[in-house]
């Protein structure tokens, strides 16, 4: 044994490897390779090491682009091994190709409450619903997730298990990555490469289904206990909206403009009380949840998700109460009313199947430089209707009712892909509604640091008089020259609807000049409609102003994105 390690470290190392299972050894190998690769500029394995595998398909299912970035990066690295990768998003993937695949790498994140990203839904349902076999398939899955969520990397785990059930053979164990995914992702990829480059006659790695024990969840995020300093409604009388500006002070607070904070809401007391009454369960009875003991009351109030249960949970509830329930999502209270439990003991069985409450993210609206020791958020009250009955979003309602002086727990969620450029670079910020939060953060930071780059803001809401969020600050920044240009779109102040994208088109030539001059484009706020329409408009502007074809405009925007000059924080 070479004396690379001092005695004490050597003992720890030997203890670890001598007691590790084979799958743990595979993982340790990958992890170390990944660490070396991350710290060294050279390729992970020597470029001369070629594989007998010629083709491989890399699919990705993404919501915010991380899985796509990794899939593209792996494809570039895999080419160095003489393997030809095909990279395709799961929304574009032809399901009829699946039985023909020989080697498949799937990089997929988890969204919602343990769900696949929308773009991967078709693929996810297909492999779960269809009774077919994938006997040719050799595969591996890289699951992206976040340990703050109760169902960590669930969608990736499901895909991994399901491909295995259909007859696929794993060439490397599933990799599970937390938000800071580089190290784990490299470890997984290193295992995949080792497996591919040692395949003469393809032989699957001897891997059991669950993640190796050593790949346990990384330590959780730092939880801050903050004090609410301010909680005000930014909308004026007559508005259809309620958007709260909440300021929170906390000790040793660390975040960067562009980050979000995560908050785990509590369930409304009146619902908890109704559930206790309906089920007759003893509120003080102690039960175990995730290796901790809680009273039934605390479990229902602070720990378990009781609203909008997933279809899978609704079906599991049906089994416990012995009833057939249609495939639907429902609140626990509604289930209990329509399909009651027999007794308190049966309700205890129900409590065991419920998931934890997921955190909700809120984009930071403050700057650590301008608002020392504080973090601010902009929270829109979520209002929706079920059967004509008005309901309120859990977390937004919980936050909006927060008293000044009360304590609030939160964690900081870094967002590396939503960052201000160098101080001398220009920015174009498109953020209607609560999308303004991140730009208040950016502008406060640029103001406080004296950044010289120009800033252009597009903001929109329903009405000028009642919904111009942060109006005074925006006007001040404009007057003092922090903001060079502001364009506003109040959709309901005239007959025809005017949105931010209409304002962008009115300034298309100048916008294109800014982009060509090196400005970074940011979009923040509503994803489903706003960000899609705004992106279409950006493409139209590039196409028309740059005299480019549709394809060229798309490539142009992709290049901007790769260079970190087109960043989105949408939800
Ligand atoms: C990166 C990021 C940044 C964000 N930044 C902000 C921000 O700055 N400001 C902001 O306001 N929000 C922001 N959000 C959104 C925020 O995290 C929450 O999603 C939002 O506040 C709604 O959460 P909620 O708990 O109030 O609603 P939930 O209770 O989670 O409900 C959300 C939706 O689920 C559906 N739903 C829930 N229950 C039922 C049911 N029983 N039946 C039918 N449908 C149901 C409804 O459509 C409802 O609107 C951000 C999200 C992300 C991912
Ligand atoms: C609204 C929301 C819900 C999420 N739900 C989960 C979850 O249930 N489990 C999990 O492990 N990660 C969850 N995540 C974290 C994402 O999987 C993680 O941020 C991942 O890096 C995103 O990768 P993508 O950009 O490829 O979609 C969630 C993220 C968001 C924004």
């Amino acid at each position: 044994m070479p004396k690379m390690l001092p005695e004490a470290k050597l003992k720890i190392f030997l203890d670890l490897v001598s007691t590790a299972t084979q799958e743990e050894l595979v993982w340790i190998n990958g992890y170390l390779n990944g660490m070396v690769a991350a710290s060294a500029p050279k390729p992970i394995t020597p470029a001369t090491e070629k594989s007998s595998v010629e083709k491989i398909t890399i699919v990705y299912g993404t919501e915010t682009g991380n899985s796509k970035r990794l899939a593209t990066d792996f494809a570039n690295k895999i080419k160095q091994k003489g393997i030809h990768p095909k990279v395709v998003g799961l929304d574009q993937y032809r399901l009829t190709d699946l039985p023909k695949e020989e080697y498949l790498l799937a990089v997929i994140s988890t969204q919602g409450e343990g769900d696949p990203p929308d773009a991967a839904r078709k693929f996810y349902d297909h492999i779960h619903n269809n009774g077919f076999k994938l006997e040719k398939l050799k595969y591996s899955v890289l699951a992206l997730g976040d340990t703050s969520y109760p169902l960590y990397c669930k969608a990736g785990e499901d895909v991994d298990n399901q491909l295995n059930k259909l007859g696929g053979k794993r060439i490397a164990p599933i990799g599970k990555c937390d938000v800071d995914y580089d190290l784990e992702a490299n470890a997984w990829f290193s295992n995949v490469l080792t497996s591919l480059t040692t395949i003469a006659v393809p032989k699957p790695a001897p891997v059991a289904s669950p993640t190796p024990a050593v790949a346990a969840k990384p330590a959780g995020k730092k939880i801050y206990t903050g004090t609410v300093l301010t909680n005000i409604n930014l909308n004026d009388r007559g508005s259809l909206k309620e958007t709260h500006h909440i300021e929170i002070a906390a000790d040793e607070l660390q975040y960067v403009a562009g980050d979000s904070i995560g908050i785990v809401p509590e369930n409304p007391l009146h619902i908890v009380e109704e559930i206790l009454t309906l089920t007759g369960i003893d509120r003080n009875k102690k039960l175990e949840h995730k290796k901790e003991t809680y009273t039934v009351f605390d479990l229902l109030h602070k720990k378990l998700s009781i609203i909008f249960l997933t279809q899978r949970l609704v079906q599991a509830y049906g089994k416990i109460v012995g009833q057939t329930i249609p495939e639907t999502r429902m609140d626990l209270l509604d289930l209990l009313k329509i399909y009651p439990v027999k007794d308190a003991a049966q309700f205890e069985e129900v409590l065991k199947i419920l998931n934890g409450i997921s955190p909700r993210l809120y984009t930071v609206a403050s700057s650590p430089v301008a608002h020392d020791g504080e973090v601010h958020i902009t929270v829109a009250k979520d209002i929706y209707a079920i059967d004509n009955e008005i309901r309120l979003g859990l977390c937004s309602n919980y936050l909006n009712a927060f008293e000044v002086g009360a304590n609030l727990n939160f964690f900081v969620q870094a967002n590396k892909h939503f960052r201000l450029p160098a101080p001398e670079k220009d920015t174009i910020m498109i953020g209607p509604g609560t999308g303004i939060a991140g730009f208040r953060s950016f502008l406060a930071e640029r103001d406080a640091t004296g950044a010289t780059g120009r800033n252009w803001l597009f903001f929109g809401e329903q009405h000028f008089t009642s919904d111009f969020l942060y109006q005074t600050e925006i006007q001040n920044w404009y007057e003092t020259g922090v903001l060079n240009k502001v364009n506003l779109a109040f959709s309901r102040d005239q007959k025809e609807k005017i949105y931010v994208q209409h304002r962008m088109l009115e300034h298309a030539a100048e916008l294109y000049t800014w982009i060509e001059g090196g400005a970074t484009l940011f979009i923040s706020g509503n994803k489903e409609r706003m960000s899609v329409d705004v992106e279409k408009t950006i493409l139209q502007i590039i196409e028309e102003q740059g005299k480019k074809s549709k394809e060229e405009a798309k490539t142009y925007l992709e290049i901007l994105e790769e260079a970190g000059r087109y960043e989105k924080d949408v939800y």
Side-chain angles (χ1 to χ4, degrees):
M1 179 74 57
K3 279 279 177 198
M4 282 296 285
L5 293 173
E7 277 311 314
K9 282 188 179 167
L10 187 63
K11 181 172 178 325
I12 296 170
F13 175 72
L14 290 176
D15 279 353
L16 177 66
V17 293
S18 61
T19 55
T21 62
Q22 191 176 9
E23 70 207 41
E24 286 170 347
L25 287 173
V26 170
W27 183 85
I28 292 170
N29 175 48
Y31 195 86
L32 294 179
N33 267 328
M35 279 186 88
V36 173
S39 59
K42 57 183 171 11
I44 297 166
T45 46
T48 49
E49 207 176 307
K50 288 272 191 253
S51 169
S52 63
V53 178
E54 288 184 351
K55 280 195 210 155
I56 193 160
T57 302
I58 307 178
V59 291
Y60 60 84
T62 190
E63 198 74 40
T64 47
N66 296 337
S67 304
K68 181 180 178 187
R69 268 188 287 276
L70 285 171
T72 315
D73 184 40
F74 296 147
N76 290 334
K77 287 181 179 152
I78 236 165
K79 277 185 201 153
Q80 296 168 7
K81 303 284 160 210
I83 306 171
H84 299 291
K86 183 172 95 182
V87 188
V88 54
L90 280 172
D91 50 339
Q92 305 288 326
Y93 183 72
R94 271 209 313 256
L95 297 173
T96 46
D97 283 351
L98 191 55
K100 299 180 220 152
E101 298 288 1
E102 209 174 338
Y103 289 97
L104 182 85
L105 301 180
V107 185
I108 180 167
S109 69
T110 298
Q111 297 295 322
E113 285 186 40
D115 302 318
D118 287 346
R121 175 53 77 182
K122 214 168 42 145
F123 175 85
Y124 182 91
D125 289 346
H126 178 71
I127 60 171
H128 278 84
N129 295 338
N130 288 1
F132 55 86
K133 281 280 165 205
L134 297 173
E135 266 141 8
K136 258 170 81 174
L137 184 73
K138 288 151 213 90
Y139 75 95
S140 189
V141 174
L142 180 67
L144 267 67
D146 182 340
T147 43
S148 330
Y149 289 86
L151 296 174
Y152 178 53
C153 289
K154 175 78 167 55
E157 278 182 349
D158 289 350
V159 170
D160 179 57
N161 287 332
Q162 199 55 25
L163 290 178
N164 188 249
K165 269 195 200 146
L166 294 173
K169 311 276 178 312
R170 294 187 186 89
I171 56 167
I174 182 174
K176 289 200 209 167
C177 306
D178 204 353
V179 266
D180 222 354
Y181 48 75
D182 286 332
L183 207 58
E184 285 285 349
N186 274 332
W188 170 83
F189 185 62
S190 176
N191 275 339
V192 167
L193 269 192
T194 309
S195 186
L196 289 174
T197 47
T198 51
I199 290 168
V201 179
K203 107 175 137 34
V207 172
S209 131
T211 313
V214 278
K217 283 185 183 187
K221 299 193 178 76
K222 175 171 177 174
I223 303 292
Y224 294 93
T225 299
T227 308
V228 174
L229 301 177
T230 306
N231 186 353
I232 50 161
N233 179 9
L234 295 173
N235 300 94
D236 269 331
R237 240 172 303 136
S239 173
L240 296 174
K241 307 252 179 130
E242 192 176 320
T243 316
H244 282 234
H245 171 72
I246 303 176
E247 299 184 352
I248 308 153
D251 291 335
E252 294 171 37
L253 189 53
Q254 281 190 331
Y255 68 93
V256 176
D259 286 346
S260 303
I261 62 169
I263 293 165
V264 180
E266 293 176 359
N267 291 313
L269 279 175
H270 69 277
I271 294 182
V272 173
E273 290 298 341
E274 225 181 311
I275 291 175
L276 290 170
T277 311
L278 266 178
T279 59
I281 195 165
D282 174 4
R283 65 199 295 134
N284 295 316
K285 179 158 189 187
K286 300 252 170 66
L287 294 178
E288 202 171 289
H289 170 71
K290 302 224 162 134
K291 301 199 179 118
E292 306 260 359
T293 307
Y294 302 93
T295 62
V296 166
F297 175 81
D298 277 346
L299 267 184
L300 285 169
H301 183 33
K302 295 184 179 165
K303 293 288 157 193
L304 298 177
S305 173
I306 57 173
I307 56 150
F308 210 32
L309 304 187
T310 59
Q311 278 193 21
R312 191 183 55 79
L313 277 180
V314 171
Q315 294 310 309
Y317 177 96
K319 278 209 183 110
I320 293 174
V321 298
Q323 302 238 37
T324 310
I325 306 178
E327 295 211 343
T328 181
R329 299 189 65 171
M330 263 171 131
D331 287 0
L332 178 64
L333 183 58
D334 293 333
L335 272 173
L336 287 165
K337 284 179 182 165
I338 308 170
Y339 309 98
V341 287
K342 194 168 69 189
D343 51 26
Q346 195 173 60
F347 185 58
E348 261 184 54
E349 292 305 303
V350 173
L351 289 177
K352 283 187 199 145
I353 63 165
L354 297 178
N355 298 321
I357 303 176
S358 292
R360 272 53 165 184
L361 297 181
Y362 294 91
T363 310
V364 163
S366 51
S367 143
V369 186
H371 309 100
D372 187 25
E374 294 177 17
V375 64
H376 304 174
I377 49 177
T378 317
V379 181
K381 188 166 184 160
D382 191 39
I383 305 174
Y384 58 96
I386 303 175
D387 298 334
N388 293 326
E389 186 199 323
I390 294 294
R391 301 219 184 173
L392 302 174
L394 180 65
C395 194
S396 53
N397 193 43
Y398 165 74
L399 286 173
N400 289 358
F402 241 84
E403 302 275 343
V404 169
N407 285 344
L408 175 63
N409 290 344
F410 66 93
F411 61 85
V412 171
Q413 179 87 329
N415 186 354
K416 322 189 255 204
H417 303 292
F418 197 65
R419 289 281 183 260
L420 273 168
E424 69 284 3
K425 297 281 183 193
D426 297 344
T427 67
I428 301 164
M429 309 177 191
I430 305 148
T434 53
I436 191 64
F439 301 139
R440 181 179 184 265
S441 164
F442 282 0
L443 289 164
E445 175 104 353
R446 286 203 134 187
D447 188 11
T449 55
T452 53
R454 294 177 302 166
N455 303 300
W456 187 346
L457 176 71
F458 288 88
F459 173 74
E461 253 296 352
Q462 291 184 345
H463 297 289
F464 175 86
T465 46
S466 56
D467 305 323
F468 190 169
L469 310 181
Y470 301 113
Q471 177 180 3
T472 315
E473 281 172 295
I474 290 172
Q475 275 168 346
N476 278 342
W477 280 321
Y478 185 62
E479 277 156 22
T480 54
V482 176
L483 258 176
N484 301 78
K485 289 181 74 70
V486 183
N487 289 101
L488 304 168
F490 291 98
S491 59
R492 302 193 185 185
D493 277 349
Q494 58 287 306
K495 239 203 209 141
E496 73 288 4
K497 293 272 168 67
I498 297 179
Y499 297 114
V500 280
Q501 60 269 28
H502 299 121
R503 297 294 184 223
M504 291 167 67
L505 282 176
E506 285 165 15
H507 299 271
E510 197 175 354
L511 262 177
Y512 188 67
T513 313
W514 276 52
I515 299 171
E516 280 281 273
T520 300
L521 269 167
F522 294 97
I523 308 180
S524 183
N526 174 278
K527 176 157 76 183
E528 295 288 306
R529 294 192 32 214
M530 186 278 290
S531 79
V532 174
D533 289 348
V534 167
E535 181 161 304
K536 275 189 201 148
T537 306
I538 294 172
L539 284 168
Q540 184 186 342
I541 291 172
I542 296 169
E543 201 183 319
E544 288 171 6
Q545 300 297 321
K547 313 242 171 326
K548 296 184 195 307
S549 67
K550 273 199 169 33
E551 263 321 296
E552 285 166 343
K554 220 171 131 221
T555 310
Y556 182 101
L557 196 58
E558 277 166 9
I559 292 170
L560 282 189
E561 193 168 2
E562 272 160 34
R565 286 185 45 214
Y566 176 44
E567 305 209 324
K568 287 184 271 190
D569 167 57
V570 293
Y571 42 87

